Amino acid sequence: MASGKNSSDLEEYKMVFHEKWVNWVLETIDKECVAKIGRRCYQDSQWVKELPSYSGGPDITKIICFLKETLPNFLFSPTQGGFIVDLNETECFCPLVQNKLTSNPNLCFCTKTFDQALYEQLLNIPVEIKILKTLLNGDDRCTFEVRLKATGMG
Protein backbone atom coordinates (compact mmCIF):
# COMPACT_ATOMS: atom_id res chain seq x y z
CA MET A 1 0.00 0.00 0.00
CA ALA A 2 2.82 2.40 0.82
CA SER A 3 4.43 1.84 -2.59
CA GLY A 4 1.14 2.78 -4.29
CA LYS A 5 1.04 6.01 -2.30
CA ASN A 6 4.65 6.77 -3.17
CA SER A 7 3.93 6.12 -6.85
CA SER A 8 0.92 8.42 -6.64
CA ASP A 9 3.01 11.08 -4.88
CA LEU A 10 5.69 10.76 -7.58
CA GLU A 11 3.10 11.18 -10.36
CA GLU A 12 1.67 14.24 -8.62
CA TYR A 13 5.18 15.69 -8.23
CA LYS A 14 5.87 15.12 -11.96
CA MET A 15 2.62 16.82 -12.96
CA VAL A 16 3.29 19.83 -10.72
CA PHE A 17 6.87 20.02 -11.99
CA HIS A 18 5.72 19.94 -15.64
CA GLU A 19 3.21 22.70 -14.94
CA LYS A 20 5.85 24.81 -13.18
CA TRP A 21 8.40 24.21 -15.93
CA VAL A 22 6.01 25.27 -18.70
CA ASN A 23 5.13 28.40 -16.73
CA TRP A 24 8.79 29.22 -16.05
CA VAL A 25 9.45 29.03 -19.78
CA LEU A 26 6.44 31.21 -20.63
CA GLU A 27 7.37 33.77 -17.96
CA THR A 28 11.00 34.09 -19.07
CA ILE A 29 10.93 33.52 -22.82
CA ASP A 30 10.72 36.46 -25.19
CA LYS A 31 7.74 37.00 -27.49
CA GLU A 32 9.83 36.16 -30.55
CA CYS A 33 10.50 32.65 -29.25
CA VAL A 34 6.84 32.15 -28.35
CA ALA A 35 6.01 33.29 -31.89
CA LYS A 36 8.32 30.61 -33.33
CA ILE A 37 6.56 27.99 -31.22
CA GLY A 38 3.19 29.19 -32.56
CA ARG A 39 4.40 28.85 -36.14
CA ARG A 40 5.77 25.37 -35.38
CA CYS A 41 2.49 24.36 -33.74
CA TYR A 42 0.73 25.52 -36.90
CA GLN A 43 3.09 23.51 -39.12
CA ASP A 44 2.43 20.37 -37.06
CA SER A 45 -1.38 20.75 -37.05
CA GLN A 46 -2.92 18.36 -39.54
CA TRP A 47 -6.34 20.04 -39.71
CA VAL A 48 -4.92 23.25 -41.20
CA LYS A 49 -3.37 21.33 -44.10
CA GLU A 50 -6.88 20.31 -45.17
CA LEU A 51 -8.30 23.85 -45.38
CA PRO A 52 -9.09 25.46 -48.74
CA SER A 53 -7.43 28.63 -50.02
CA TYR A 54 -9.27 31.80 -50.96
CA SER A 55 -9.02 32.64 -54.65
CA GLY A 56 -11.16 35.78 -54.88
CA GLY A 57 -10.02 39.36 -55.03
CA PRO A 58 -9.53 41.96 -52.28
CA ASP A 59 -13.26 42.31 -51.55
CA ILE A 60 -13.59 42.11 -47.75
CA THR A 61 -17.23 40.94 -48.02
CA LYS A 62 -16.16 37.96 -50.15
CA ILE A 63 -13.21 37.25 -47.84
CA ILE A 64 -15.45 37.18 -44.78
CA CYS A 65 -18.00 34.99 -46.58
CA PHE A 66 -15.17 32.55 -47.41
CA LEU A 67 -13.89 32.60 -43.81
CA LYS A 68 -17.38 31.98 -42.38
CA GLU A 69 -17.71 28.92 -44.62
CA THR A 70 -14.20 27.69 -43.85
CA LEU A 71 -14.19 28.36 -40.09
CA PRO A 72 -17.91 28.28 -39.21
CA ASN A 73 -17.44 28.38 -35.42
CA PHE A 74 -15.55 31.69 -35.52
CA LEU A 75 -17.25 35.06 -35.76
CA PHE A 76 -15.96 37.58 -38.31
CA SER A 77 -16.68 41.27 -38.75
CA PRO A 78 -15.10 43.66 -41.28
CA THR A 79 -12.83 46.54 -40.32
CA GLN A 80 -10.96 49.17 -42.28
CA GLY A 81 -8.17 47.11 -43.81
CA GLY A 82 -9.17 43.67 -42.56
CA PHE A 83 -11.45 42.03 -40.04
CA ILE A 84 -11.97 41.11 -36.41
CA VAL A 85 -12.13 37.41 -35.59
CA ASP A 86 -13.80 36.21 -32.40
CA LEU A 87 -12.81 32.63 -31.65
CA ASN A 88 -16.25 32.16 -30.09
CA GLU A 89 -14.99 29.99 -27.23
CA THR A 90 -15.57 30.23 -23.49
CA GLU A 91 -12.45 28.16 -22.75
CA CYS A 92 -8.98 28.33 -24.25
CA PHE A 93 -8.57 25.51 -26.76
CA CYS A 94 -4.78 25.30 -26.55
CA PRO A 95 -3.83 21.75 -25.49
CA LEU A 96 -1.44 23.14 -22.85
CA VAL A 97 -4.35 24.93 -21.20
CA GLN A 98 -6.82 22.09 -21.77
CA ASN A 99 -4.40 19.68 -20.07
CA LYS A 100 -3.99 22.15 -17.19
CA LEU A 101 -0.25 22.63 -17.75
CA THR A 102 -0.57 26.42 -17.88
CA SER A 103 -2.91 29.35 -18.03
CA ASN A 104 -0.11 31.86 -18.61
CA PRO A 105 -1.32 34.71 -20.88
CA ASN A 106 2.04 34.81 -22.68
CA LEU A 107 0.77 31.72 -24.46
CA CYS A 108 -1.54 34.05 -26.43
CA PHE A 109 1.51 35.18 -28.45
CA CYS A 110 1.77 31.58 -29.63
CA THR A 111 -1.85 31.75 -30.81
CA LYS A 112 -1.13 35.09 -32.47
CA THR A 113 1.49 33.58 -34.79
CA PHE A 114 -0.54 30.41 -35.27
CA ASP A 115 -3.40 32.61 -36.49
CA GLN A 116 -1.06 34.69 -38.64
CA ALA A 117 0.14 31.54 -40.42
CA LEU A 118 -3.44 30.30 -40.70
CA TYR A 119 -4.83 33.45 -42.33
CA GLU A 120 -1.80 33.87 -44.58
CA GLN A 121 -2.36 30.33 -45.88
CA LEU A 122 -6.12 30.73 -46.20
CA LEU A 123 -6.01 34.13 -47.93
CA ASN A 124 -2.69 33.82 -49.81
CA ILE A 125 -1.57 37.27 -48.60
CA PRO A 126 0.55 38.57 -45.72
CA VAL A 127 -1.39 39.62 -42.63
CA GLU A 128 -0.68 41.27 -39.29
CA ILE A 129 -2.43 40.09 -36.15
CA LYS A 130 -3.22 42.25 -33.15
CA ILE A 131 -4.43 40.64 -29.94
CA LEU A 132 -7.54 42.47 -28.69
CA LYS A 133 -8.93 40.18 -25.97
CA THR A 134 -7.97 36.79 -24.56
CA LEU A 135 -9.44 34.42 -22.04
CA LEU A 136 -6.04 33.96 -20.42
CA ASN A 137 -5.90 37.73 -19.79
CA GLY A 138 -9.25 37.54 -17.99
CA ASP A 139 -11.47 38.60 -20.89
CA ASP A 140 -14.72 36.81 -21.70
CA ARG A 141 -13.48 35.72 -25.14
CA CYS A 142 -10.53 35.75 -27.54
CA THR A 143 -10.62 38.31 -30.32
CA PHE A 144 -7.94 39.32 -32.78
CA GLU A 145 -7.70 42.01 -35.43
CA VAL A 146 -6.41 40.71 -38.75
CA ARG A 147 -4.99 43.38 -41.06
CA LEU A 148 -4.53 42.48 -44.71
CA LYS A 149 -1.20 43.87 -45.88
CA ALA A 150 -1.15 43.29 -49.63
CA THR A 151 -4.68 44.06 -50.79
CA GLY A 152 -4.87 47.82 -50.96
CA MET A 153 -7.37 47.64 -48.09
CA GLY A 154 -4.94 48.19 -45.23
Side-chain angles (χ1 to χ4, degrees):
M1 199 64 140
S3 66
K5 184 172 181 350
N6 289 340
S7 175
S8 174
D9 289 346
L10 180 59
E11 289 305 311
E12 176 67 21
Y13 170 78
K14 286 179 182 178
M15 192 62 189
V16 169
F17 177 78
H18 292 154
E19 180 181 337
K20 285 182 179 179
W21 192 89
V22 167
N23 281 300
W24 292 332
V25 169
L26 288 170
E27 289 167 6
T28 58
I29 199 168
D30 64 40
K31 291 176 187 173
E32 218 172 278
C33 276
V34 176
K36 289 178 184 177
I37 293 168
R39 196 162 288 279
R40 181 58 193 255
C41 181
Y42 173 82
Q43 292 168 347
D44 286 354
S45 295
Q46 185 59 40
W47 69 272
V48 298
K49 294 176 175 86
E50 299 167 7
L51 293 173
S53 289
Y54 177 71
S55 58
D59 181 332
I60 194 65
T61 303
K62 289 180 182 177
I63 289 172
I64 289 187
C65 184
F66 167 78
L67 291 172
K68 285 179 177 180
E69 290 175 15
T70 305
L71 303 168
N73 295 330
F74 295 176
L75 305 174
F76 298 94
S77 56
T79 63
Q80 183 68 30
F83 56 90
I84 303 289
V85 58
D86 178 336
L87 301 186
N88 198 26
E89 296 280 343
T90 57
E91 295 181 12
C92 181
F93 54 78
C94 175
L96 292 174
V97 176
Q98 290 287 313
N99 290 316
K100 302 190 184 328
L101 288 174
T102 187
S103 60
N104 189 306
N106 288 341
L107 195 56
C108 301
F109 292 101
C110 180
T111 302
K112 177 182 173 181
T113 53
F114 184 102
D115 283 11
Q116 180 180 5
L118 172 68
Y119 291 109
E120 287 180 345
Q121 175 192 318
L122 285 172
L123 302 176
N124 294 308
I125 56 172
V127 302
E128 291 178 357
I129 305 287
K130 180 180 177 186
I131 298 171
L132 301 177
K133 295 181 183 178
T134 69
L135 293 164
L136 297 182
N137 277 314
D139 297 307
D140 62 341
R141 53 200 326 114
C142 294
T143 58
F144 300 91
E145 179 181 10
V146 180
R147 297 201 44 87
L148 311 174
K149 291 169 44 174
T151 63
M153 288 189 294

